[in-house]
Amino acid sequence: MTDYIKGSIWGLIVGDALGVPVEFKEREALRKHPVTDMMEYGTHYQPKGTWSDDSSMMLCTLDSLGDKGEIDYDDIMARFASWLYEGEYTPYGETFDYGGATYNAINRYRNGTAPLECGGKGERDNGNGSLMRILPVVLYQFEKYQHFVHCNRPAIIQPICRVSALTHAHPISLLGCGLYAQLLGALINYKHYNVSAKPCDNLLDLATLAMEDNLVDWIGYDGAFENYYNSNEYKRLKDMRAFAALPEDEIKSGGYVVNTLEAAMWCFLNTDNFTDCVLKAVNLGYDTDTTAAVAGSIAEW
């Protein structure tokens, strides 16, 4: 396993564990008493270093890819069910945190629904529950398709979006995972391999270029994507220089998938090391574990 893969995986888990004790805390409270290191108990009354559903579901996906050697949607869902109902992939054999859309999707799977039909498709099914766990699939595709450079983009992006659809199948969630994949691939290429599919002068320009690629044509679902892609949902991420300059008060950090992707990227672009990035993410408050998990996955390189 290459160093950047290990770094991304550990970065996600550390960010998750850092945020667990203060999940749902308001930003103002954390401004007065900021998180500076691992804490214990708190929101979920868990020991120091405990990870949550973010890491557990990511580990389910990682284990499936390792065992199967391919993306096996049924196997991933079966492992999700083992996590939710049997405490597999948790620190202490007990599941203590999960989202409603994820719970409903896994229940549908247990009741016989085909894996790719399990995810919620409604507007209210756009929590960050697929974005938080999609990392292993992105890394798998990144390695398989030689670092995303000069290759068949639909072949890369469509399986990533389908893994999102196991629990979150609305266009906003699928686009969020696709954009995260584009950004992660571009950043890894830039920082680890000194290569880019397009010319750029710096990280901000590179991230902006990655966001300008037309994911709508690659995802391969239906025409609804064009409306969401061109709406205000991800508009701010299309100019990373302007986005990075936004004040903290304009960055939301709740459970909505768009907010999580934005908050994680904003923290990454406004820090220059892993520790500062994940601490900034946690101290934004609200969905602290997932914001820090996604931020940690792109910061530990």
Side-chain angles (χ1 to χ4, degrees):
M1 188 182 292
T2 60
D3 288 343
Y4 78 81
I5 292 177
K6 291 180 182 177
S8 291
I9 291 167
W10 277 111
L12 186 150
I13 296 171
V14 170
D16 179 16
L18 195 67
V20 164
V22 292
E23 187 178 14
F24 310 129
K25 276 193 175 291
E26 294 183 358
R27 189 173 300 178
E28 190 57 38
L30 290 172
R31 282 175 177 161
K32 294 176 182 177
H33 303 285
V35 174
T36 59
D37 204 342
M38 287 286 180
M39 299 168 59
E40 55 189 354
Y41 305 117
T43 302
H44 298 286
Y45 205 72
Q46 296 292 323
K48 186 184 296 186
T50 300
W51 66 79
S52 73
D53 54 336
D54 306 57
S55 299
S56 291
M57 297 189 78
M58 182 275 293
L59 291 170
C60 289
T61 309
L62 182 67
D63 214 17
S64 178
L65 290 169
D67 285 352
K68 295 292 184 176
E70 61 181 359
I71 301 172
D72 185 322
Y73 305 113
D74 191 80
D75 186 70
I76 293 171
M77 283 299 283
R79 292 172 195 263
F80 288 168
S82 295
W83 155 72
L84 182 62
Y85 296 108
E86 300 168 23
E88 295 291 329
Y89 300 98
T90 64
Y92 314 110
E94 180 181 359
T95 305
F96 65 87
D97 188 22
Y98 49 82
T102 294
Y103 177 83
N104 291 335
I106 295 172
N107 255 341
R108 293 186 192 108
Y109 175 75
R110 282 191 99 197
N111 290 327
T113 302
L116 290 174
E117 296 300 319
C118 289
K121 298 179 176 66
E123 291 275 358
R124 297 181 64 83
D125 295 313
N126 283 308
N128 50 28
S130 62
L131 178 64
M132 71 187 193
R133 60 170 172 79
I134 206 70
L135 173 65
V137 187
V138 176
L139 296 174
Y140 174 83
Q141 293 292 88
F142 185 82
E143 289 286 294
K144 181 177 179 179
Y145 288 94
Q146 300 180 341
H147 309 161
F148 289 9
V149 178
H150 305 305
C151 56
N152 182 355
R153 296 301 177 94
I156 297 170
I157 299 297
Q158 288 176 18
I160 292 168
C161 291
R162 288 178 182 133
V163 174
S164 170
L166 296 174
T167 56
H168 295 70
H170 189 275
I172 291 174
S173 290
L174 303 184
L175 279 170
C177 289
L179 293 170
Y180 169 78
Q182 280 295 104
L183 289 162
L184 185 62
L187 295 171
I188 292 173
N189 274 334
Y190 182 74
K191 297 192 76 175
H192 279 275
Y193 296 101
N194 296 316
V195 62
S196 173
K198 300 176 181 178
C200 63
D201 295 324
N202 56 53
L203 192 61
L204 289 169
D205 290 339
L206 180 85
T208 297
L209 288 169
M211 289 295 302
E212 289 175 350
D213 285 329
N214 189 15
L215 278 179
V216 175
D217 292 340
W218 301 339
I219 290 174
Y221 276 73
D222 57 47
F225 283 94
E226 194 72 43
N227 293 331
Y228 287 106
Y229 191 70
N230 291 325
S231 72
N232 291 327
E233 298 303 324
Y234 293 102
K235 186 176 181 179
R236 299 202 302 181
L237 290 176
K238 292 186 178 182
D239 182 350
M240 284 292 179
R241 190 173 298 281
F243 174 73
L246 290 173
E248 182 183 282
D249 288 346
E250 292 191 31
I251 303 300
K252 297 180 180 179
S253 52
Y256 182 40
V257 61
V258 178
N259 294 346
T260 300
L261 183 58
E262 283 193 341
M265 283 305 302
W266 184 84
C267 292
F268 174 68
L269 293 170
N270 282 286
T271 55
D272 60 7
N273 61 79
F274 174 79
T275 300
D276 288 348
C277 180
V278 292
L279 287 175
K280 183 178 281 289
V282 168
N283 287 311
L284 289 176
Y286 306 104
D287 201 353
T288 52
D289 57 338
T290 304
T291 303
V294 176
S297 74
I298 59 178
E300 182 57 15
W301 297 341

